[in-house]
Amino acid sequence: MNWRAIRAIVRKDLKVVFQNKGVMIPIIIVPIVFLVLLPGLAALAPLLDDAGSALSDMRAFLENMPAGMRETIAGYDEVQTVIVLGLVYFLAPMYLILPLMVASVIAADSFAGEKERKTLEALLYTPTSDRELLVAKILSAMVPAVAIAWIGFLLYSITANLAAWSTMGRIFFPNLMWVFLALWVAPAVAGLGLGVTVLVSARAQTFQEAYQVGGVIVLPILLLVVGQATGILYFSPWLVLVLGLVFWIVDAVLLYLGARRFRRSELAAGM
């Protein structure tokens, strides 16, 4: 494995990403919305004057919650309960959209974007094997996605604790479930977006086409959001560990299929 050539391709791809406004804008805006605005609003909303109706709705919701979730919020008053449910549980699956989106955007630009910019032919003639080229493309998307997810986790933790300090009076975030979510599940979700985009980009001719078709992979995450919000799912540490394992298995299958389809001849034929 020629790691020097791999590093050179990764640096080249990341340089292109940083110079592409169509890629960088969603990478900047989405984390700000999910990691700063949403947790800030979730922490401050229960303190508003018209929060009474929200608390009434929350009482009805609590009655239908799984027993495990009710145990985790025992001892909190009503306002604290709303904050903990919102920041710790309801927004947890939405956090997974971040690494999924970043990996999908960068992978779509790294694969299909090369065709659109007419730079793929030069890349195909570099002295690297198909395997080395695929590894370089995977790292170009995976490393930034995981880095942003972990930095985002730290930013979310700071925002949540600062915004809710007047109500909670202590550092309450993160809990063990969120640690597993960030360190175990987030990289697996990034791999999920990457694996799907690799398969799609083999046939796609433009960045937009690859990203839009690969965007369907967000549906499983949206189902998790709905399940958590309706009380059907309870994001316990054990569930998060199992969820991550499932995602990693799917990642392995997708990347195996992608590696079998990733051939210079097929990529050149699609230009």
Side-chain angles (χ1 to χ4, degrees):
M1 191 74 73
N2 187 349
W3 288 105
R4 182 178 180 180
I6 290 174
R7 287 194 297 269
I9 295 174
V10 171
R11 286 195 297 268
K12 187 270 298 180
D13 282 354
L14 292 181
K15 182 179 180 180
V16 172
V17 166
F18 292 144
Q19 294 175 344
N20 190 333
K21 294 181 180 179
V23 176
M24 288 303 299
I25 288 176
I27 290 179
I28 294 173
I29 292 179
V30 173
I32 291 175
V33 172
F34 279 101
L35 304 175
V36 178
L37 296 181
L38 284 183
L41 292 174
L44 298 176
L47 305 179
L48 300 178
D49 294 335
D50 58 349
S53 59
L55 293 175
S56 299
D57 294 338
M58 186 60 63
R59 294 189 193 99
F61 175 80
L62 292 174
E63 296 176 357
N64 299 320
M65 280 174 40
M69 185 179 287
R70 287 199 300 268
E71 291 176 1
T72 62
I73 60 175
Y76 291 119
D77 61 35
E78 286 186 333
V79 175
Q80 291 174 332
T81 297
V82 173
I83 291 176
V84 171
L85 288 177
L87 293 177
V88 179
Y89 295 102
F90 293 169
L91 293 182
M94 297 184 69
Y95 163 76
L96 297 177
I97 295 177
L98 178 62
L100 178 68
M101 182 275 299
V102 173
S104 298
V105 169
I106 295 179
D109 183 74
S110 181
F111 287 91
E114 293 276 11
K115 299 179 184 179
E116 190 174 8
R117 292 187 295 269
K118 307 300 182 183
T119 57
L120 181 60
E121 185 175 1
L123 183 63
L124 294 179
Y125 287 107
T126 56
T128 56
S129 65
D130 289 348
R131 182 183 178 186
E132 291 168 345
L133 186 56
L134 178 61
V135 169
K137 291 294 186 180
I138 289 174
L139 290 177
S140 296
M142 191 72 173
V143 172
V146 174
I148 290 176
W150 287 350
I151 294 172
F153 169 59
L154 178 61
L155 181 60
Y156 185 98
S157 301
I158 295 172
T159 303
N161 285 302
L162 287 177
W165 183 265
S166 61
T167 302
M168 303 301 296
R170 63 182 178 86
I171 296 176
F172 71 100
F173 188 95
N175 60 2
L176 182 61
M177 180 273 290
W178 262 90
V179 173
F180 291 159
L181 192 72
L183 300 183
W184 172 244
V185 183
V189 171
L192 185 65
L194 176 59
V196 171
T197 307
V198 169
L199 291 174
V200 171
S201 297
R203 300 295 181 185
Q205 297 299 313
T206 65
F207 162 76
Q208 288 295 339
E209 181 183 351
Y211 181 57
Q212 289 173 0
V213 176
V216 299
I217 199 61
V218 77
L219 292 178
I221 306 301
L222 294 179
L223 291 177
L224 293 176
V225 173
V226 174
Q228 179 84 330
T230 57
I232 297 175
L233 293 177
Y234 160 47
F235 265 42
S236 65
W238 282 110
L239 176 64
V240 169
L241 287 174
V242 172
L243 190 64
L245 179 61
V246 172
F247 281 137
W248 280 117
I249 293 174
V250 175
D251 291 350
V253 173
L254 290 175
L255 291 176
Y256 171 75
L257 295 175
R260 293 190 61 181
R261 294 182 60 180
F262 190 84
R263 296 291 183 270
R264 275 176 161 80
S265 57
E266 292 189 13
L267 292 174
M271 292 189 300

